[in-house]
Amino acid sequence: MSAAAVSVSELVRLRAERPEAVAEAAARRKRRPLLRTTGDRLVIIAADHPARGALAVGDRALAMANRFELLERLCLALSRPGVDGVLASADVLDDLLLLGALEDKVVMGSMNRGGLAGAAFELDDRFTGHRPEDLVRHGFDAGKLLLRIDHDDPGSLDTLHSAARAIDAMAAHRLPVFVEPFLCRRVDGRLRNDLGAAAVATSIAIASGLAGTSAYTWLKVPVTENPDDMGRVMEASTLPAVLLGGEVGGDPEAAYEKWRTALRLPTVRGLVVGRSLLYPVGGDVARAVDTAVSL
Protein backbone atom coordinates (compact mmCIF):
# COMPACT_ATOMS: atom_id res chain seq x y z
CA MET A 1 0.00 0.00 0.00
CA SER A 2 1.23 3.46 -0.88
CA ALA A 3 2.18 6.12 1.65
CA ALA A 4 -0.01 9.15 2.19
CA ALA A 5 0.43 12.26 0.08
CA VAL A 6 3.23 14.43 1.39
CA SER A 7 1.60 17.70 0.38
CA VAL A 8 -1.76 19.13 -0.56
CA SER A 9 -0.55 19.72 -4.14
CA GLU A 10 0.27 16.01 -4.52
CA LEU A 11 -3.37 15.12 -3.93
CA VAL A 12 -4.35 15.89 -7.52
CA ARG A 13 -1.73 13.50 -8.90
CA LEU A 14 -2.64 10.78 -6.42
CA ARG A 15 -6.36 11.14 -7.09
CA ALA A 16 -5.85 11.01 -10.86
CA GLU A 17 -3.40 8.10 -10.94
CA ARG A 18 -4.37 5.95 -7.94
CA PRO A 19 -7.98 6.50 -6.86
CA GLU A 20 -7.80 3.24 -4.90
CA ALA A 21 -5.38 5.02 -2.53
CA VAL A 22 -8.37 6.47 -0.67
CA ALA A 23 -9.67 3.02 0.32
CA GLU A 24 -6.14 1.91 1.17
CA ALA A 25 -5.63 4.91 3.46
CA ALA A 26 -8.96 4.24 5.16
CA ALA A 27 -8.06 0.58 5.72
CA ARG A 28 -4.75 1.36 7.42
CA ARG A 29 -5.98 4.34 9.47
CA LYS A 30 -5.41 4.02 13.20
CA ARG A 31 -8.80 4.28 14.90
CA ARG A 32 -9.82 5.37 18.40
CA PRO A 33 -12.98 5.18 20.53
CA LEU A 34 -15.45 8.05 20.31
CA LEU A 35 -14.78 8.74 24.00
CA ARG A 36 -11.46 7.59 25.41
CA THR A 37 -12.36 7.74 29.11
CA THR A 38 -15.32 8.14 31.44
CA GLY A 39 -16.42 11.77 31.39
CA ASP A 40 -14.39 12.54 28.29
CA ARG A 41 -15.29 15.65 26.24
CA LEU A 42 -15.13 15.94 22.45
CA VAL A 43 -13.66 18.73 20.36
CA ILE A 44 -14.54 18.18 16.70
CA ILE A 45 -13.63 20.49 13.81
CA ALA A 46 -16.52 20.89 11.33
CA ALA A 47 -15.85 21.35 7.60
CA ASP A 48 -18.97 20.11 5.83
CA HIS A 49 -20.27 23.55 4.82
CA PRO A 50 -18.96 23.63 1.19
CA ALA A 51 -20.93 20.51 0.23
CA ARG A 52 -24.20 22.42 0.49
CA GLY A 53 -22.84 25.54 -1.18
CA ALA A 54 -22.23 27.46 2.05
CA LEU A 55 -18.83 29.03 1.37
CA ALA A 56 -19.12 32.33 3.24
CA VAL A 57 -17.40 33.29 6.47
CA GLY A 58 -18.55 36.67 7.76
CA ASP A 59 -18.40 39.16 4.91
CA ARG A 60 -16.13 36.93 2.79
CA ALA A 61 -18.53 35.29 0.35
CA LEU A 62 -16.05 32.68 -0.96
CA ALA A 63 -13.81 32.20 2.08
CA MET A 64 -14.16 28.40 2.01
CA ALA A 65 -13.95 28.10 -1.79
CA ASN A 66 -10.16 27.59 -1.82
CA ARG A 67 -9.87 23.87 -1.08
CA PHE A 68 -6.09 23.92 -0.73
CA GLU A 69 -6.31 26.64 1.93
CA LEU A 70 -9.15 24.85 3.70
CA LEU A 71 -7.13 21.63 3.87
CA GLU A 72 -4.10 23.44 5.24
CA ARG A 73 -6.26 25.02 7.94
CA LEU A 74 -7.86 21.67 8.74
CA CYS A 75 -4.52 19.89 9.04
CA LEU A 76 -3.27 22.60 11.38
CA ALA A 77 -6.42 22.41 13.51
CA LEU A 78 -6.29 18.61 13.70
CA SER A 79 -2.65 18.74 14.79
CA ARG A 80 -3.41 20.80 17.89
CA PRO A 81 -3.45 19.02 21.28
CA GLY A 82 -6.91 18.16 22.52
CA VAL A 83 -8.62 18.09 19.12
CA ASP A 84 -10.46 14.78 18.82
CA GLY A 85 -11.53 14.71 15.19
CA VAL A 86 -13.32 16.16 12.21
CA LEU A 87 -16.79 16.35 10.66
CA ALA A 88 -16.79 16.66 6.86
CA SER A 89 -18.24 15.50 3.56
CA ALA A 90 -16.70 12.59 1.65
CA ASP A 91 -14.47 14.67 -0.62
CA VAL A 92 -12.82 16.47 2.30
CA LEU A 93 -12.42 13.28 4.33
CA ASP A 94 -10.86 11.53 1.31
CA ASP A 95 -8.34 14.36 1.03
CA LEU A 96 -7.54 14.18 4.74
CA LEU A 97 -7.12 10.40 4.53
CA LEU A 98 -4.60 10.81 1.72
CA LEU A 99 -2.76 13.45 3.75
CA GLY A 100 -2.54 11.14 6.76
CA ALA A 101 -4.33 13.69 8.95
CA LEU A 102 -6.97 11.32 10.38
CA GLU A 103 -4.75 8.96 12.36
CA ASP A 104 -6.12 8.33 15.87
CA LYS A 105 -8.95 10.82 15.23
CA VAL A 106 -12.72 10.59 15.41
CA VAL A 107 -13.99 10.75 11.82
CA MET A 108 -17.57 11.88 11.39
CA GLY A 109 -19.25 11.77 7.97
CA SER A 110 -21.81 14.37 6.91
CA MET A 111 -24.91 12.58 5.63
CA ASN A 112 -27.53 15.00 4.23
CA ARG A 113 -26.21 17.82 2.07
CA GLY A 114 -29.04 18.10 -0.47
CA GLY A 115 -30.66 21.16 1.09
CA LEU A 116 -28.46 23.63 -0.77
CA ALA A 117 -28.05 27.04 0.83
CA GLY A 118 -30.61 29.47 -0.55
CA ALA A 119 -32.41 26.92 -2.74
CA ALA A 120 -36.21 26.69 -2.95
CA PHE A 121 -35.82 23.04 -1.88
CA GLU A 122 -33.48 23.83 1.04
CA LEU A 123 -35.74 22.15 3.60
CA ASP A 124 -36.20 19.01 1.51
CA ASP A 125 -32.73 18.10 2.72
CA ARG A 126 -31.96 14.87 0.86
CA PHE A 127 -29.29 12.43 2.02
CA THR A 128 -26.75 13.06 -0.73
CA GLY A 129 -23.65 12.51 1.42
CA HIS A 130 -22.44 9.52 3.40
CA ARG A 131 -24.75 6.54 3.74
CA PRO A 132 -24.41 4.34 6.85
CA GLU A 133 -22.80 1.62 4.72
CA ASP A 134 -20.21 4.11 3.44
CA LEU A 135 -19.21 4.98 6.99
CA VAL A 136 -18.88 1.30 7.84
CA ARG A 137 -16.86 0.54 4.69
CA HIS A 138 -14.34 3.29 5.39
CA GLY A 139 -14.12 2.47 9.10
CA PHE A 140 -15.38 5.90 10.12
CA ASP A 141 -16.66 6.51 13.61
CA ALA A 142 -19.95 8.44 13.41
CA GLY A 143 -22.35 10.31 11.16
CA LYS A 144 -24.09 13.65 11.36
CA LEU A 145 -27.37 14.89 9.93
CA LEU A 146 -29.03 18.28 9.82
CA LEU A 147 -32.74 18.52 10.68
CA ARG A 148 -34.36 21.87 9.99
CA ILE A 149 -38.12 22.06 10.48
CA ASP A 150 -40.35 24.84 9.14
CA HIS A 151 -44.01 24.27 9.96
CA ASP A 152 -44.94 26.14 6.77
CA ASP A 153 -42.74 24.09 4.40
CA PRO A 154 -43.87 20.59 3.33
CA GLY A 155 -40.25 19.69 2.50
CA SER A 156 -39.54 19.49 6.21
CA LEU A 157 -41.67 16.36 6.49
CA ASP A 158 -39.62 14.51 3.86
CA THR A 159 -36.43 15.42 5.72
CA LEU A 160 -37.96 14.37 9.05
CA HIS A 161 -38.93 10.97 7.63
CA SER A 162 -35.55 10.44 5.95
CA ALA A 163 -33.73 11.44 9.13
CA ALA A 164 -35.65 8.87 11.17
CA ARG A 165 -34.78 6.07 8.75
CA ALA A 166 -31.13 7.17 8.68
CA ILE A 167 -30.99 7.00 12.48
CA ASP A 168 -32.47 3.50 12.33
CA ALA A 169 -29.81 2.44 9.82
CA MET A 170 -27.00 3.91 11.89
CA ALA A 171 -28.27 2.13 15.00
CA ALA A 172 -28.35 -1.16 13.08
CA HIS A 173 -24.63 -0.68 12.43
CA ARG A 174 -24.06 0.46 16.04
CA LEU A 175 -22.68 3.76 14.81
CA PRO A 176 -23.33 7.04 16.67
CA VAL A 177 -25.26 9.66 14.73
CA PHE A 178 -25.22 13.34 15.70
CA VAL A 179 -28.54 15.06 14.92
CA GLU A 180 -28.50 18.85 14.54
CA PRO A 181 -32.12 20.07 14.94
CA PHE A 182 -33.59 23.53 14.40
CA LEU A 183 -36.98 25.09 14.14
CA CYS A 184 -36.73 27.68 11.40
CA ARG A 185 -38.75 30.00 9.18
CA ARG A 186 -38.22 32.04 6.04
CA VAL A 187 -37.64 35.77 6.44
CA ASP A 188 -37.49 37.70 3.15
CA GLY A 189 -36.89 34.42 1.36
CA ARG A 190 -33.99 33.29 3.56
CA LEU A 191 -34.08 30.58 6.21
CA ARG A 192 -33.56 31.78 9.77
CA ASN A 193 -33.01 29.42 12.68
CA ASP A 194 -35.04 30.23 15.79
CA LEU A 195 -32.65 30.22 18.76
CA GLY A 196 -35.25 31.14 21.34
CA ALA A 197 -35.49 28.83 24.33
CA ALA A 198 -38.88 27.39 23.39
CA ALA A 199 -37.83 26.67 19.81
CA VAL A 200 -34.54 25.01 20.75
CA ALA A 201 -36.19 22.88 23.46
CA THR A 202 -38.90 21.82 21.00
CA SER A 203 -36.39 20.89 18.31
CA ILE A 204 -34.44 18.82 20.84
CA ALA A 205 -37.61 16.97 21.90
CA ILE A 206 -38.50 16.20 18.26
CA ALA A 207 -35.00 14.99 17.37
CA SER A 208 -34.78 12.81 20.48
CA GLY A 209 -37.95 10.95 19.52
CA LEU A 210 -36.96 10.02 15.97
CA ALA A 211 -36.51 6.41 14.81
CA GLY A 212 -37.06 3.08 16.53
CA THR A 213 -34.28 3.59 19.06
CA SER A 214 -32.26 6.50 20.41
CA ALA A 215 -29.48 4.28 21.73
CA TYR A 216 -26.89 5.64 19.28
CA THR A 217 -28.26 9.16 18.91
CA TRP A 218 -26.36 12.26 20.02
CA LEU A 219 -27.57 15.84 19.67
CA LYS A 220 -25.68 18.75 18.12
CA VAL A 221 -27.29 21.89 19.51
CA PRO A 222 -26.83 25.66 19.36
CA VAL A 223 -26.45 27.95 22.35
CA THR A 224 -29.72 29.82 22.82
CA GLU A 225 -30.09 33.55 22.19
CA ASN A 226 -30.07 34.04 25.95
CA PRO A 227 -27.32 31.72 27.26
CA ASP A 228 -29.02 31.66 30.66
CA ASP A 229 -31.81 29.59 29.08
CA MET A 230 -29.51 26.68 28.19
CA GLY A 231 -29.92 24.92 31.53
CA ARG A 232 -33.66 24.41 31.18
CA VAL A 233 -33.47 23.86 27.41
CA MET A 234 -31.08 20.95 27.83
CA GLU A 235 -33.50 19.34 30.28
CA ALA A 236 -35.64 18.44 27.23
CA SER A 237 -33.61 15.26 26.63
CA THR A 238 -31.28 12.79 28.31
CA LEU A 239 -29.32 12.24 25.09
CA PRO A 240 -25.66 13.29 25.14
CA ALA A 241 -25.09 16.53 23.27
CA VAL A 242 -22.35 18.65 21.76
CA LEU A 243 -22.52 22.38 21.12
CA LEU A 244 -22.28 23.71 17.60
CA GLY A 245 -20.26 26.82 16.92
CA GLY A 246 -22.25 28.82 14.38
CA GLU A 247 -21.27 32.31 13.36
CA VAL A 248 -19.13 33.99 16.02
CA GLY A 249 -19.02 37.46 14.43
CA GLY A 250 -16.59 40.06 15.64
CA ASP A 251 -16.63 39.12 19.33
CA PRO A 252 -15.11 35.65 19.79
CA GLU A 253 -14.62 36.15 23.52
CA ALA A 254 -18.40 36.44 23.98
CA ALA A 255 -18.87 33.18 22.06
CA TYR A 256 -16.22 31.43 24.13
CA GLU A 257 -17.96 32.52 27.33
CA LYS A 258 -21.30 31.16 26.06
CA TRP A 259 -19.66 27.81 25.25
CA ARG A 260 -17.83 27.72 28.58
CA THR A 261 -21.07 28.19 30.52
CA ALA A 262 -23.03 25.62 28.48
CA LEU A 263 -20.23 23.04 28.75
CA ARG A 264 -20.92 22.81 32.49
CA LEU A 265 -24.37 21.29 31.87
CA PRO A 266 -24.64 17.54 32.59
CA THR A 267 -25.72 16.41 29.09
CA VAL A 268 -23.21 18.55 27.17
CA ARG A 269 -20.18 16.49 26.20
CA GLY A 270 -18.17 18.79 23.94
CA LEU A 271 -17.97 21.11 20.95
CA VAL A 272 -18.31 20.73 17.19
CA VAL A 273 -17.08 24.00 15.70
CA GLY A 274 -16.12 24.92 12.16
CA ARG A 275 -15.75 28.32 10.56
CA SER A 276 -15.09 30.26 13.77
CA LEU A 277 -12.00 28.11 14.41
CA LEU A 278 -10.85 27.55 10.84
CA TYR A 279 -11.33 31.20 9.82
CA PRO A 280 -11.11 33.06 13.14
CA VAL A 281 -11.12 36.78 13.70
CA GLY A 282 -7.45 37.76 13.51
CA GLY A 283 -6.56 34.71 11.39
CA ASP A 284 -4.70 32.66 14.03
CA VAL A 285 -6.15 29.16 13.63
CA ALA A 286 -3.90 27.53 16.24
CA ARG A 287 -4.79 30.10 18.89
CA ALA A 288 -8.53 29.83 18.20
CA VAL A 289 -8.43 26.04 18.37
CA ASP A 290 -6.35 26.03 21.55
CA THR A 291 -8.79 28.44 23.18
CA ALA A 292 -11.74 26.19 22.31
CA VAL A 293 -9.92 23.14 23.69
CA SER A 294 -9.16 25.01 26.93
CA LEU A 295 -12.88 25.49 27.60
Side-chain angles (χ1 to χ4, degrees), residues 5-15 68 71-72 99:
V6 297
S7 68
V8 173
S9 60
E10 189 185 347
L11 284 174
V12 177
R13 181 195 62 78
L14 196 56
R15 279 182 169 280
F68 282 51
L71 290 171
E72 289 170 351
L99 289 167

Side-chain angles (χ1 to χ4, degrees), residues 1-204:
M1 292 188 291
S2 64
V6 297
S7 68
V8 173
S9 60
E10 189 185 347
L11 284 174
V12 177
R13 181 195 62 78
L14 196 56
R15 279 182 169 280
E17 298 175 7
R18 297 197 67 255
E20 64 274 15
V22 172
E24 293 170 359
R28 66 174 177 264
R29 181 179 74 91
K30 179 183 178 182
R31 297 183 63 180
R32 53 154 281 182
L34 183 67
L35 300 174
R36 292 189 191 274
T37 61
T38 301
D40 196 11
R41 300 295 185 95
L42 289 171
V43 177
I44 303 292
I45 307 298
D48 58 343
H49 311 81
R52 54 181 299 271
L55 300 173
V57 178
D59 59 358
R60 298 171 58 196
L62 296 177
M64 298 187 77
N66 186 321
R67 181 54 57 88
F68 282 51
E69 180 185 352
L70 173 60
L71 290 171
E72 289 170 351
R73 290 170 181 264
L74 274 169
C75 289
L76 173 57
L78 287 166
S79 73
R80 303 304 298 172
V83 172
D84 294 287
V86 64
L87 158 65
S89 53
D91 57 327
V92 174
L93 293 183
D94 290 348
D95 283 340
L96 292 173
L97 279 171
L98 293 175
L99 289 167
L102 299 182
E103 299 302 307
D104 199 32
K105 297 294 183 184
V106 171
V107 181
M108 190 182 302
S110 190
M111 302 176 72
N112 62 327
R113 298 282 86 189
L116 302 182
F121 51 84
E122 189 168 353
L123 286 170
D124 187 357
D125 201 351
R126 304 293 177 95
F127 281 71
T128 58
H130 288 98
R131 301 166 298 174
E133 56 264 39
D134 298 322
L135 300 173
V136 171
R137 184 178 69 254
H138 285 297
F140 292 161
D141 308 297
K144 172 260 181 178
L145 62 90
L146 178 62
L147 178 64
R148 291 177 296 181
I149 301 168
D150 181 347
H151 287 82
D152 295 322
D153 192 319
S156 294
L157 180 58
D158 289 330
T159 301
L160 195 67
H161 179 263
S162 298
R165 300 292 74 83
I167 295 168
D168 281 330
M170 291 290 284
H173 289 292
R174 298 187 177 184
L175 276 177
V177 58
F178 289 68
V179 181
E180 180 179 348
F182 291 100
L183 294 189
C184 61
R185 64 186 183 279
R186 291 191 184 273
V187 178
D188 297 327
R190 295 186 62 186
L191 277 182
R192 303 292 186 188
N193 296 326
D194 188 342
L195 299 184
V200 177
T202 300
S203 69
I204 287 173

